Amino acid sequence: MRGAPRPGAWLVWGTVAFFLIFLAGVVGSVVVNSFAVNWFDTWLPGGWTTRWYGASWADFDLPSVLAVTFQVAVLVVAVSLLAGVPAAYALARRDFPGKRALTLLFLLPIMIPPVTYGIPLATVLYKFHLAGTMTGVVLANLVPSIPFVILVMTPFIEQIDPKVEAAARMCGATTRAVLTRILAPLLVPGMLAAGILVLVRTVGMFELTFLTAGPDSETLVVALYYSVSAAGIRAQQQVDAMAVVYTMSMLVLLVVALRFVNPTQLVTQIKETPGD
């Protein structure tokens, strides 16, 4: 017979329940208010409407903002994979002086707050007339994204036995054939995991995008900030409708990410073939 739960277990479950209830209350109040005609001192709004979503769609030019967000995210993912995968392969397969220091350098943009290097980075981009453009936003987001891809892909590549590549070369395979026919199929799961995680990270990146974005290069998270802080009188329901759009966008990306990526195991284990 199982014993009664310990006080520590009750404390943990109580903390988790409190957090979930608090989170549900905060998110629920925003969602409810986005559909409210007015809501002051009552438990429920005085009426319901969807016009705030139409107002946000028109006032903040959401189609253009969503298109910019998609373009920035796709470009950042593509460039991060093109630069990060070869660098991860070099770190996984080669030993050279300063390797540990270089790995630590890759960790810095991920570990420290983005604003600490975002302001100097934005200053440099403004100096070269890149800030305020799509190119500037993409370059700024690449600073943490490429190291992130490298750190995800390096342990994945290390699990691939170098003997597989050596055997292919002994059989006469060229370097191109080894890369395209041997390594590429094995690296696809890791590249997919890294790409999706970078996609989610880029869409939610506020500091670097805010410091380098212009009127025509704002992503959804920056547009949400401006909807709150912009001058003029704006209904809170309209701002909450904008927040719901952003939350739903992130939720869709999260569902897609969890569909392809196991959060407890970013690296796919390579199964050994029979007879090895």
Side-chain angles (χ1 to χ4, degrees):
M1 182 177 180
R2 299 180 61 183
R6 298 180 180 180
W10 284 109
L11 179 62
V12 171
W13 284 110
T15 303
V16 172
F18 173 79
F19 171 76
L20 293 177
I21 293 173
F22 177 78
L23 181 62
V26 172
V27 175
S29 64
V30 173
V31 174
V32 171
N33 195 45
S34 68
F35 290 99
V37 174
N38 53 64
W39 192 14
F40 296 105
D41 297 328
T42 58
W43 283 99
L44 292 175
W48 303 93
T49 182
T50 59
R51 68 185 178 92
W52 303 117
Y53 287 89
S56 297
W57 192 268
D59 292 352
F60 301 120
D61 194 15
L62 281 185
S64 177
V65 171
L66 291 173
V68 169
T69 303
F70 176 78
Q71 293 174 27
V72 169
V74 170
L75 287 173
V76 170
V77 170
V79 177
S80 297
L81 291 176
L82 288 175
V85 174
Y89 182 84
L91 287 175
R93 288 289 189 260
R94 299 289 185 268
D95 288 323
F96 51 87
K99 180 177 178 179
R100 291 182 178 273
L102 185 60
T103 303
L104 179 62
L105 184 63
F106 286 141
L107 278 172
L108 289 180
I110 301 175
M111 300 301 296
I112 64 178
V115 71
T116 57
Y117 59 87
I119 294 176
L121 176 62
T123 302
V124 173
L125 292 176
Y126 274 106
K127 182 178 180 180
F128 290 97
H129 306 287
L130 292 174
T133 66
M134 182 81 69
T135 302
V137 174
V138 172
L139 289 175
N141 280 276
L142 286 176
V143 174
S145 297
I146 292 178
F148 186 79
V149 170
I150 293 173
L151 293 177
V152 171
M153 291 300 300
T154 299
F156 185 89
I157 295 173
E158 289 176 344
Q159 293 184 76
I160 301 176
D161 194 343
K163 295 179 181 179
V164 175
E165 302 172 48
R169 294 182 186 279
M170 290 180 62
C171 294
T174 62
T175 300
R176 181 178 179 180
V178 171
L179 292 176
T180 58
R181 298 185 180 183
I182 305 299
L183 288 180
L186 297 176
L187 294 179
V188 166
M191 293 173 62
L192 182 62
I196 292 176
L197 293 175
V198 168
L199 179 68
V200 175
R201 182 185 181 92
T202 302
V203 173
M205 176 61 70
F206 171 73
E207 296 93 336
L208 297 179
T209 306
F210 173 75
L211 291 171
T212 56
D216 298 326
S217 55
E218 293 178 3
T219 60
L220 188 57
V221 65
V222 176
L224 175 60
Y225 171 78
Y226 281 130
S227 70
V228 177
S229 61
I233 300 176
R234 183 173 292 105
Q236 181 62 39
Q237 293 94 326
Q238 188 174 348
V239 176
D240 287 343
M242 184 78 168
V244 171
V245 172
Y246 172 72
T247 303
M248 293 304 298
S249 301
M250 294 300 298
L251 183 61
V252 170
L253 289 177
L254 180 61
V255 170
V256 173
L258 293 178
R259 173 64 178 82
F260 294 100
V261 181
N262 184 350
T264 62
Q265 184 182 6
L266 292 178
V267 183
T268 302
Q269 297 289 341
I270 306 300
K271 297 182 179 180
E272 296 184 355
T273 57
D276 287 351

